[in-house]
Amino acid sequence: SSKNAKLILTKLNIIDLFDVIVDGNDVVNSKPHPEGFELAAKLTGSSHKDCVVFEDSSSGILAANQIGMTTVGIGDVENLSMATTVITNFKEIDLNDFKL
């Protein structure tokens, strides 16, 4: 939902690592509406069930859950308990856990 995602990714010099970037400038409806996630899936040619969403907000988790995406909450388990799984930081991720 951030409207400066592309600017931040450019400044970090990692924008070229992404095939598709959807931010708040690309959607009409903000989270918990799933529009942003629907658009990202469409632009990548992916089925919703094949997508994994990493989110630090409950509204983002709710949005992705509405359309059947796998959700990884990043942060406090109490606030993100509706996620498929919750981690405290990215160091806890094993990409093998997400083979679809």
Side-chain angles (χ1 to χ4, degrees):
S1 62
S2 171
K3 292 192 175 190
N4 61 352
K6 293 171 186 158
L7 174 66
I8 292 169
L9 296 173
T10 298
K11 287 188 179 257
L12 291 171
N13 202 29
I14 61 171
I15 196 161
D16 293 335
L17 298 175
F18 297 88
D19 294 326
V20 171
I21 299 166
V22 176
D23 68 15
N25 296 304
D26 301 313
V27 296
V28 173
N29 301 295
S30 60
K31 301 171 199 170
H33 193 284
E35 180 183 5
F37 296 126
E38 291 172 325
L39 179 57
K42 179 181 177 182
L43 293 173
T44 60
S46 302
S47 166
H48 293 172
K49 69 176 181 57
D50 293 332
C51 294
V52 178
V53 173
F54 296 86
E55 258 295 337
D56 63 352
S57 73
S58 59
S59 61
I61 297 294
L62 290 171
N65 284 348
Q66 287 180 60
I67 56 175
M69 293 181 167
T70 298
T71 52
V72 179
I74 303 167
D76 181 28
V77 70
E78 286 186 37
N79 295 326
L80 305 170
S81 62
M82 73 291 290
T84 307
T85 196
V86 179
I87 59 175
T88 56
N89 62 58
F90 281 105
K91 292 179 183 178
E92 296 178 36
I93 295 174
D94 181 347
L95 293 180
N96 291 316
D97 293 339
F98 300 101
K99 294 207 184 229
L100 302 172

